[in-house]
Amino acid sequence: QVQLVESGGGLVQPGGSLRLSCVPSGRTVSSVNMGWFRQAPGKEREFVAAIQWLGSGTAYSDSVKGRFIISRDNAKNTLNLQMNNLKPEATGVYYCAAAGNSRLRPLTSGDSYDYWGQGTQVTVSS
């Protein structure tokens, strides 16, 4: 069983930055595919970014490409999501996810993940 704990959410003005972190228990971040998803009020959960378990392969949704960076800190066993130039439409609950089976490509579908964190709220507003 893998438990995921997110942190780093909060309130930020448009154009600002936030850094989300996710710490898995029971696994190391380098041994599993991991990803970030978000759910805005009244909307379905959507893919944000993913990183494959081996190597540095990453994937991003078109809406965040060029502004968000997903990365692993193996020494701290932490998954990070650096979010820059935030827009109001980025508001929502952000979830960290981990897959039960490793794949040599980033996983962009929520159905590919077996473990989810409790979520952290991000609000982009002036």
Side-chain angles (χ1 to χ4, degrees):
Q1 188 73 13
V2 179
Q3 292 184 332
L4 305 171
V5 179
E6 303 102 332
S7 62
L11 173 65
V12 64
Q13 292 185 343
S17 298
L18 277 177
R19 184 181 181 88
L20 305 184
S21 296
C22 173
V23 179
S25 62
R27 292 284 181 92
T28 58
V29 293
S30 60
S31 67
V32 293
N33 286 72
M34 299 192 73
W36 288 97
F37 291 76
R38 69 186 177 198
Q39 187 166 20
K43 295 187 177 181
E44 294 187 352
R45 184 181 61 198
E46 64 174 350
F47 167 73
V48 175
I51 188 166
Q52 69 184 55
W53 79 277
L54 183 65
S56 57
T58 58
Y60 297 91
S61 68
D62 289 342
S63 64
V64 307
K65 197 173 296 182
R67 298 184 296 114
F68 288 16
I69 301 172
I70 186 172
S71 63
R72 287 190 298 253
D73 185 333
N74 293 335
K76 297 181 179 179
N77 197 36
T78 300
L79 177 74
N80 297 309
L81 183 68
Q82 178 66 41
M83 306 186 294
N84 300 319
N85 190 19
L86 282 161
K87 302 178 180 180
E89 50 264 40
T91 294
V93 179
Y94 282 69
Y95 297 92
C96 172
N101 297 311
S102 299
R103 296 288 186 269
L104 287 176
R105 58 180 173 83
L107 302 175
T108 61
S109 170
D111 292 340
S112 300
Y113 293 91
D114 303 283
Y115 307 102
W116 296 84
Q118 81 288 351
T120 185
Q121 176 70 43
V122 172
T123 302
V124 184
S125 175
S126 56

